[in-house]
Amino acid sequence: MKTVFRILILISLCTLASCSEKQTNPLQDALGTYILQGQEGSFLLYDIAKIDSTTFRTEFERRQNVYELKLQEETKLYDDYNWQRKPKNAARHWEAIQRTRKIMKGLDSLKTIMEGRMDEIAYYDYVFSGRAETGDKFTDFKDAYVSMTPTLQVISMTAPKKDLHQASGR
């Protein structure tokens, strides 16, 4: 009986010791990995707030609209250069039209493949403050913006919010 009691106390102590370990924030870990990019150092997250989320459906519709506008512009330029009898310029815009159509077909086929996941979250936008330390160099982040997938992959990061999705074509 004493042995069982001792084992229970030992298990309780081990459980308490493991629970008292510092819990890591997965957002901090993902941001730290992205910011440090393999350098030795640390990243401390002071504050983070989710400000927006985007579904796959919304992102597909936005990209389709972008490419439809691009197709209209390229078609107009192609027609104008053809009318002006400038074949080199017209050929360049014809190639752009073909590339845009190919991209639009790819988006359509990808949308068809992902039909069951269209209402899932594609990415979240966050605003955060933190500090990165690498050796004797410190970088403070105040009101920085980041887009991350639900699996915590950083898509883009910037200081002015208006530039957050610039790299992804938004």
Side-chain angles (χ1 to χ4, degrees):
M1 185 69 172
K2 286 184 178 182
T3 308
V4 173
F5 185 67
R6 287 181 183 166
I7 291 173
L8 286 175
I9 290 176
L10 184 61
I11 291 173
S12 299
L13 289 174
C14 289
T15 304
L16 286 174
S18 67
C19 290
S20 66
E21 291 178 10
K22 184 180 174 186
Q23 297 291 326
T24 61
N25 180 344
L27 291 171
Q28 178 176 330
D29 293 343
L31 277 170
T33 301
Y34 182 80
I35 290 169
L36 296 174
Q37 296 181 358
Q39 297 179 17
E40 289 293 322
S42 63
F43 175 73
L44 180 60
L45 183 65
Y46 299 140
D47 186 37
I48 190 162
K50 189 183 304 180
I51 55 174
D52 195 11
S53 63
T54 301
T55 63
F56 286 110
R57 183 176 312 281
T58 304
E59 187 64 16
F60 272 107
E61 289 170 358
R62 185 193 63 75
R63 288 184 186 264
Q64 284 177 326
N65 290 339
V66 166
Y67 285 107
E68 285 173 7
L69 285 173
K70 183 175 173 86
L71 184 62
Q72 290 173 2
E73 291 171 3
E74 292 294 341
T75 303
K76 183 183 180 313
L77 289 169
Y78 172 75
D79 291 342
D80 288 346
Y81 284 123
N82 261 344
W83 183 77
Q84 296 172 11
R85 296 194 174 146
K86 296 182 178 178
K88 288 183 181 179
N89 290 339
R92 187 175 40 153
H93 290 287
W94 179 252
E95 290 171 6
I97 290 169
Q98 297 307 313
R99 279 193 308 270
T100 303
R101 286 181 179 160
K102 186 176 180 179
I103 290 169
M104 290 175 73
K105 283 181 186 177
L107 282 173
D108 287 340
S109 63
L110 189 58
K111 188 176 180 180
T112 302
I113 291 169
M114 293 187 65
E115 190 59 43
R117 297 185 56 206
M118 291 301 285
D119 293 321
E120 291 180 18
I121 300 296
Y123 57 86
Y124 296 103
D125 293 339
Y126 297 93
V127 61
F128 73 95
S129 298
R131 181 180 185 127
E133 299 179 15
T134 54
D136 59 348
K137 185 178 176 184
F138 300 97
T139 306
D140 287 317
F141 296 89
K142 184 173 180 347
D143 295 331
Y145 295 87
V146 64
S147 287
M148 298 176 90
T149 65
T151 59
L152 302 179
Q153 287 183 302
V154 175
I155 299 170
S156 62
M157 185 174 75
T158 185
K161 184 179 178 184
K162 67 181 181 68
D163 295 340
L164 183 58
H165 297 287
Q166 191 171 24
S168 62
R170 190 168 179 189

